[in-house]
Amino acid sequence: MTLGTATAESDLLTRLRAGDEKAFEALVAGMYGTMLTVARTYVKDRAVAEEVVQETWLGVINGLDRFEGRSSLKTWILSILVNQAKTRGTREARTVPFASLAHEDDAPAVDPERFRGPNEPYTGGWRAFPANWKAADQLAQDRETIRVAMRAIAELPLTQQTVIRMRDVEGYSAEEVCATLDVSEANQRVLLHRARSRVRSALERHIDG
Amino acid sequence: MADGTAISCQEVVEVITDYLEGRLAPEDAAVFEAHLELCEGCRWYLDQMRITIDAVGRIEDAEVPDELRRTVLAAFRSRRV
């Protein structure tokens, strides 16, 4: 945590403890996507995952005064969520250890056909260069681009969804992701790499046609 | 890259996240950057990756179901401050 975010954190905590509804609602809204995705890695259906999110907030509300700030507020909330989800997951006989899911997809970042083969000159070089997106102005801001990215994320394995959501949608640090999901830094990075690579491919199909 | 001399485009696309995360060893990062220096295709690929990350960062918060919002908000209100 940087000093700036630490200040913002203690500010938020003060407001929550004082009963600031706006601050609470904003926090609930801001964390919902990640919470639901994390919950769904442990429990099978979406309705149950939503219940886990709800139970988590009730737990957070009850525990707000006991929170000691040893981790970030969000990390603490997510640890409550993981505990709730694990309990529900066990009850539903589907506890999925996160680390074992990390290897469920070993697809390369880019289709191997796009590179020159072992018997060709420049083995591993591009057959045709990827397009220059810098030329397409404002591409990332385009609403349709963002929608394509959203859809691509929704189709990723849940572990990858969780990591790309936390890191790139909601701006958690790698350390926070590792703490929440109990994965190694290297595993976290592999999941992030696969997720980003898949989303890039989806954008490429959309942009370059 | 294991031998510290060169890296192919196909390898670039696999270590790009390690590079962006600052997790390549300094000598590997130097090899990566030397490749990019010479390879326009991989520079464009890196741009595509950065644009992808930028686009993903603009995704808006998922909508909280009404019932869930009402329930947790009611619990928050009834909390004794």
Side-chain angles (χ1 to χ4, degrees):
Chain A
M1 241 193 310
T2 66
L3 204 58
T5 58
T7 314
E9 273 256 334
S10 80
D11 201 50
L12 173 62
L13 193 59
T14 307
R15 289 170 68 187
L16 293 174
R17 283 177 173 157
D20 184 331
E21 286 178 25
K22 280 226 159 58
F24 180 71
E25 246 192 296
L27 187 63
V28 170
M31 293 187 70
Y32 182 67
T34 287
M35 289 174 84
L36 191 65
T37 313
V38 172
R40 285 181 59 207
T41 61
Y42 293 96
V43 297
K44 59 173 173 281
D45 71 57
R46 190 188 163 106
V48 178
E50 281 179 11
E51 282 172 34
V52 168
V53 174
Q54 183 168 312
E55 285 161 18
T56 300
W57 283 115
L58 302 181
V60 168
I61 292 164
N62 283 327
L64 212 46
D65 292 326
R66 274 171 284 137
F67 172 65
E68 289 169 343
R70 271 194 241 115
S71 60
S72 79
L73 181 64
K74 286 182 171 182
T75 304
W76 175 67
I77 292 169
L78 290 172
S79 71
I80 296 175
L81 175 87
V82 168
N83 283 331
Q84 297 268 11
K86 277 183 178 165
T87 309
R88 284 302 287 264
T90 313
R91 231 181 283 157
E92 307 212 334
R94 186 183 176 262
T95 304
V96 185
F98 218 92
S100 78
L101 288 174
H103 304 286
E104 67 193 8
D105 157 36
D106 282 322
V110 174
D111 182 355
E113 285 297 309
R114 294 184 57 182
F115 300 100
R116 295 168 194 273
N119 302 318
E120 293 172 76
Y122 306 110
T123 298
W126 295 104
R127 287 186 196 285
F129 282 177
N132 180 5
W133 288 0
K134 278 267 174 71
D137 216 16
Q138 307 278 304
L139 211 50
Q141 283 101 311
D142 183 67
R143 290 179 67 101
E144 192 52 33
T145 308
I146 296 165
R147 245 195 307 273
V148 171
M150 265 178 82
R151 274 200 297 271
I153 289 174
E155 281 167 19
L156 295 172
L158 283 167
T159 50
Q160 293 179 28
Q161 276 191 47
T162 305
V163 176
I164 197 170
R165 275 207 150 276
M166 290 186 73
R167 289 295 311 280
D168 292 343
V169 181
E170 293 173 17
Y172 290 87
S173 67
E175 292 72 26
E176 288 176 308
V177 175
C178 294
T180 299
L181 304 178
D182 197 23
V183 290
S184 67
E185 193 282 328
N187 252 338
Q188 182 268 155
R189 210 171 345 120
V190 168
L191 291 165
L192 180 65
H193 176 65
R194 290 184 188 149
R196 283 178 176 175
S197 300
R198 292 258 198 113
V199 176
R200 188 212 62 85
S201 295
L203 292 185
E204 185 176 50
R205 285 192 296 277
H206 168 68
I207 290 163
D208 304 341
Chain B
M1 186 149 69
D3 59 3
T5 52
I7 177 174
S8 72
C9 306
Q10 197 165 10
E11 289 170 303
V12 163
V13 304
E14 293 301 344
V15 298
I16 201 160
T17 305
D18 297 347
Y19 176 74
L20 289 171
E21 294 278 284
R23 285 291 179 157
L24 283 184
E27 59 273 25
D28 289 341
V31 170
F32 183 95
E33 283 166 358
H35 179 108
L36 252 68
E37 196 79 28
L38 298 170
C39 180
E40 190 171 52
C42 285
R43 286 201 297 277
W44 287 347
Y45 188 87
L46 182 62
D47 282 345
Q48 290 192 356
M49 212 53 158
R50 289 196 165 121
I51 289 169
T52 299
I53 295 164
D54 186 8
V56 169
R58 292 168 193 274
I59 292 175
E60 283 173 21
D61 294 338
E63 209 153 309
V64 182
D66 272 344
E67 198 197 321
L68 193 151
R69 203 188 52 240
R70 273 197 301 272
T71 307
V72 299
L73 205 56
F76 184 73
R77 279 196 194 112
S78 63
R79 172 177 170 268
R80 292 291 121 226
V81 176

